[in-house]
Amino acid sequence: ALLHILAETNPCLSSSTTSTSMSSSLYVDDEKLCGIIFVQKRITAICLSKMINKLRDEFLQHIKCSYIIGHGGGKILEQGSNMNVRKQQDVLRRFRTDSLNLLVATSVVEEGLDVRKCNLVVRYDFPLTFQSFSRNK
């Protein structure tokens, strides 16, 4: 379902080539995609971002995706499963300047990082708290 939603944000698709009536509400001609996919785990953010980028050649050419995760604590699952402050700032700068139009993010974005207004917000995992749910609106 997530890949279908992302594909439907493609401005190159006309409403006659899409399979659902949702497509007209996902893309407005003068509005570029700017979205965040919230996930609970760092490894999910890394893997989902890599998967989306691998599918760019097939049907997600309009997506410029990266991930942003926390930099401290927690169990390290693999080398690179933490993100230092400099890398977080670089990803956010690229997102603000349209070099990226989609972020896959853990709760680090909910907890005080300044991001631009988005026209697509997806909760990949069910929110654990009401506070988490309300921050994504």
Side-chain angles (χ1 to χ4, degrees):
L2 174 63
L3 294 178
H4 183 74
I5 290 169
L6 293 176
E8 297 240 351
T9 63
N10 189 341
C12 296
L13 293 177
S14 68
S15 60
S16 63
T17 63
T18 56
S19 60
T20 68
S21 61
M22 231 173 45
S23 62
S24 61
S25 65
L26 288 177
Y27 182 78
V28 179
D29 289 334
D30 62 346
E31 186 176 39
K32 294 179 182 177
L33 172 67
C34 177
I36 299 178
I37 300 170
F38 285 101
V39 299
Q40 289 176 2
K41 298 185 180 206
R42 295 173 184 182
I43 194 70
T44 305
I46 294 167
C47 292
L48 192 55
S49 174
K50 287 181 179 184
M51 182 187 72
I52 290 168
N53 284 323
K54 282 189 182 240
L55 293 172
R56 282 188 71 194
D57 293 338
E58 294 182 40
F59 60 95
L60 298 176
Q61 301 91 348
H62 64 293
I63 303 285
K64 298 171 283 184
C65 181
S66 188
Y67 64 90
I68 186 164
I69 58 177
H71 56 74
K75 182 177 165 185
I76 297 177
L77 300 173
E78 64 178 55
Q79 183 85 16
S81 66
N82 289 330
M83 180 178 266
N84 65 38
V85 174
R86 175 183 270 163
K87 178 134 187 200
Q88 284 179 341
Q89 290 171 343
D90 181 57
V91 169
L92 289 173
R93 179 190 53 76
R94 291 172 43 216
F95 187 62
R96 286 186 198 113
T97 60
D98 289 330
S99 295
L100 297 171
N101 61 2
L102 183 67
L103 290 180
V104 183
T106 59
S107 61
V108 69
V109 172
E110 295 174 356
E111 297 168 357
L113 291 182
D114 186 31
V115 295
R116 66 185 196 176
K117 186 174 180 177
C118 296
N119 55 18
L120 178 69
V121 177
V122 175
R123 258 285 177 202
Y124 189 76
D125 301 304
F126 195 77
L128 296 176
T129 66
F130 180 75
Q131 184 179 25
S132 177
F133 171 76
S134 65
R135 286 180 180 161
N136 297 152
K137 288 188 159 207

